[in-house]
Amino acid sequence: MASYEKAPSMPLTAQHSSFVKEDLEGQDPVESLSGDEKAADDPHGTTSTPKYTIKWWKETWNNAVHEGKWPRVAYCVLGFVFVVGWVGIMLGLVGTEVKYENENSKGMAHREGNHNNRSSASNDQLNGLIMLKGSLINFDIEKRALTVTWSGLYVNNSKEVPVDLGNAEDPKSAVYSDGIEIYRDLSSGPYNASYLWDDGYTYWEWAYKIDNATVKPIGVIGMHPWDSFDTDITFTQRYQKNAWVQPLLGYPLDQWQGQIVFVANNIWWSKLYKTNGSAVMDVAGVQLADSTLNWRFDYSYKDICDPSEITINWDTNDVNTLPGDCHLTVTFIGRRPPLLIFCAIAAVAVNWTCAIFIFILTCEAIIMRRSYMLQGTDILSMCFTALFALPTIRSLLPGAPAYGAIIDLVGILPCTLIVALCAVCVSVAKLNKRYRNRKDE
């Protein structure tokens, strides 16, 4: 094959022509070059090969490599497109996380049920809505528990933006001097909350009290804007009989579900009723803030508490005429974010691509008897390098659980086995070839 080095392009003068003519006299005639040799020696590709055929593309590419310009431009553009594409995908996936956090911060859009406008629920004679604001702290996959820090919010109506509860400096906020007790995972029921006023007159009123008076509250809010409390919410699998979405096993498509129930009690009115947990208030909604690494939590809530109904259509002789329960139920759905799912799928694709490539090389070298491929240690070193490199990719996956998930059985273990078998086959083939060569000697 012709060399890729360029011949000098110095013009041939008349004096040079005479020298060349004298040198060529008495020499044997030079054979004409074949078509392939002409194509290789012609840097400009001026051949008679039909355009756009396989042979023409090979000749054109060889000529381009000889020139050295456009192949460099091609691989630079390819690398640039890869970097821009990867950055674009990452920015798009990050944008979905920002959109998700904005949806969680709305809160009132997830509202189900009614809210309490009963002024007697507050010693300040307020008619607004009490809400809870949750900040996602951490999700422990070993304990399967989500840690959330809760604080109070107040809003006059659902069309306004909620503000911190207990902020005396904010005219739109409300302050509860004795505070609001928060209970978890229990409910409340109606009872006759008659009480004796200072003037000696007995007032008859129906109210709600917690259904377990021995339980202590988990926190008190409403006195200051920094009042808060923490909860650990236990999560279980969301769907039954579907291994692909089971917690940890179905990584990165696993889905989790957790639930917590809140009951709020006005301490000032409980003192008036002289019974602990006897002035249950309506908690009108929930907002979520912040996010957890490698996790996305959606939520919904349902408020079945409507204490405003206890002042109308009630019968002092029949407690069954009142609404039966009063509590707020918050349901969480946990799943992996799209960014993590993309990374996991990309890792599996890379594993399978490498395994298939090594498998094809091994088959070409052994089955198709490409003996030159077994010379040296290239293919053998590739097999042993991939044997330890492929499982390492799995350890780089964000939020990956312990080994044994479906992704290991689908994208890690089979690839490792294929590469290991290829390494053994190549080793045996090389030893067998060495034995035959020594025997022939």
Side-chain angles (χ1 to χ4, degrees):
M1 182 179 291
S3 174
Y4 282 128
E5 295 183 0
K6 294 183 180 180
S9 57
M10 182 175 59
L12 193 64
T13 62
Q15 184 179 3
H16 292 151
S17 300
S18 62
F19 291 156
V20 172
K21 183 177 180 181
E22 293 176 357
D23 292 338
L24 294 178
E25 290 180 356
Q27 295 183 3
D28 296 333
V30 180
E31 296 181 0
S32 60
L33 298 176
S34 63
D36 293 340
E37 292 174 338
K38 288 181 179 180
D41 289 336
D42 188 359
H44 303 289
T46 57
T47 66
S48 59
T49 304
K51 287 188 176 181
Y52 309 116
T53 61
I54 296 178
K55 184 178 180 181
W56 181 86
W57 281 112
K58 290 182 179 179
E59 295 174 354
T60 304
W61 177 252
N62 289 337
N63 294 333
V65 173
H66 174 71
E67 294 292 338
K69 176 181 178 182
W70 292 112
R72 291 189 179 95
V73 173
Y75 66 69
C76 289
V77 171
L78 181 62
F80 179 77
V81 170
F82 176 80
V83 173
V84 172
W86 181 269
V87 173
I89 292 174
M90 294 299 105
L91 292 178
L93 295 176
V94 170
T96 61
E97 292 300 305
V98 175
K99 182 179 179 181
Y100 145 76
E101 292 183 12
N102 292 335
E103 288 294 329
N104 277 350
S105 64
K106 292 180 180 180
M108 295 302 290
H110 299 271
R111 176 109 176 113
E112 297 181 29
N114 302 316
H115 62 268
N116 174 29
N117 289 325
R118 182 179 179 227
S119 61
S120 60
S122 170
N123 57 307
D124 296 321
Q125 302 297 316
L126 300 172
N127 296 320
L129 305 176
I130 304 299
M131 300 177 60
L132 291 177
K133 179 181 179 180
S135 297
L136 302 176
I137 304 301
N138 180 52
F139 182 66
D140 191 337
I141 61 174
E142 299 297 332
K143 298 180 179 179
R144 301 194 176 191
L146 173 66
T147 302
V148 183
T149 297
W150 301 93
S151 58
L153 293 176
Y154 181 82
V155 62
N156 284 323
N157 56 71
S158 60
K159 296 182 180 181
E160 296 186 2
V161 178
V163 297
D164 292 334
L165 180 66
N167 189 357
E169 298 179 357
D170 190 345
K172 295 184 179 181
S173 182
V175 178
Y176 289 77
S177 57
D178 291 294
I180 301 173
E181 296 175 328
I182 303 296
Y183 297 85
R184 68 167 293 178
D185 297 335
L186 51 77
S187 187
S188 62
Y191 78 108
N192 190 338
S194 58
Y195 58 93
L196 183 65
W197 201 248
D198 294 338
D199 56 4
Y201 183 79
T202 301
Y203 289 83
W204 293 89
E205 184 178 55
W206 288 95
Y208 285 82
K209 65 178 180 179
I210 60 176
D211 53 14
N212 188 350
T214 62
V215 176
K216 295 182 179 181
I218 60 175
V220 177
I221 60 175
M223 295 182 293
H224 314 94
W226 56 80
D227 293 338
S228 63
F229 58 94
D230 296 336
T231 59
D232 289 332
I233 304 171
T234 302
F235 275 65
T236 59
Q237 64 184 38
R238 184 182 182 188
Y239 296 110
Q240 303 289 338
K241 300 180 181 180
N242 189 349
W244 293 97
V245 296
Q246 284 190 9
L248 300 182
L249 180 64
Y251 173 89
L253 304 177
D254 48 340
Q255 296 188 22
W256 307 59
Q257 179 173 303
Q259 191 175 83
I260 189 171
V261 178
F262 289 112
V263 173
N265 178 68
N266 192 315
I267 299 178
W268 189 88
W269 277 91
S270 291
K271 293 178 179 178
L272 184 65
Y273 294 149
K274 300 178 182 180
T275 304
N276 292 333
S278 57
V280 172
M281 302 172 58
D282 178 25
V283 181
V286 170
Q287 283 188 359
L288 281 188
D290 299 329
S291 61
T292 53
L293 183 64
N294 301 327
W295 286 97
R296 169 181 288 188
F297 290 97
D298 299 320
Y299 76 101
S300 62
Y301 58 83
K302 185 175 183 180
D303 174 26
I304 65 172
C305 183
D306 190 4
S308 61
E309 294 293 332
I310 68 175
T311 60
I312 58 175
N313 299 328
W314 55 272
D315 184 355
T316 56
N317 297 318
D318 188 3
V319 71
N320 294 324
T321 60
L322 302 177
D325 298 312
C326 184
H327 60 257
L328 175 71
T329 302
V330 185
T331 302
F332 293 88
I333 304 297
R335 55 172 62 90
R336 313 283 179 165
L339 179 61
L340 188 147
I341 296 176
F342 172 80
C343 293
I345 295 176
V348 172
V350 169
N351 269 21
W352 272 109
T353 301
C354 294
I356 293 174
F357 179 76
I358 293 175
F359 177 77
I360 292 176
L361 287 181
T362 303
C363 293
E364 287 289 325
I366 299 176
I367 299 177
M368 303 303 295
R369 299 180 181 179
R370 314 283 187 182
S371 59
Y372 63 89
M373 299 177 64
L374 296 176
Q375 296 177 358
T377 59
D378 294 342
I379 188 171
L380 185 61
S381 60
M382 182 191 305
C383 292
F384 277 100
T385 301
L387 186 60
F388 294 97
L390 295 184
T392 305
I393 297 177
R394 196 265 188 199
S395 64
L396 299 177
L397 294 178
Y403 195 87
I406 292 181
I407 191 175
D408 301 320
L409 305 178
V410 172
I412 306 298
L413 182 59
C415 296
T416 305
L417 292 177
I418 291 174
V419 173
L421 292 176
C422 290
V424 172
C425 293
V426 171
S427 300
V428 173
K430 288 180 67 66
L431 293 175
N432 189 28
K433 180 182 178 183
R434 183 175 299 178
Y435 172 77
R436 290 199 307 268
N437 292 339
R438 180 173 298 182
K439 187 177 180 180
D440 294 338
E441 294 176 357

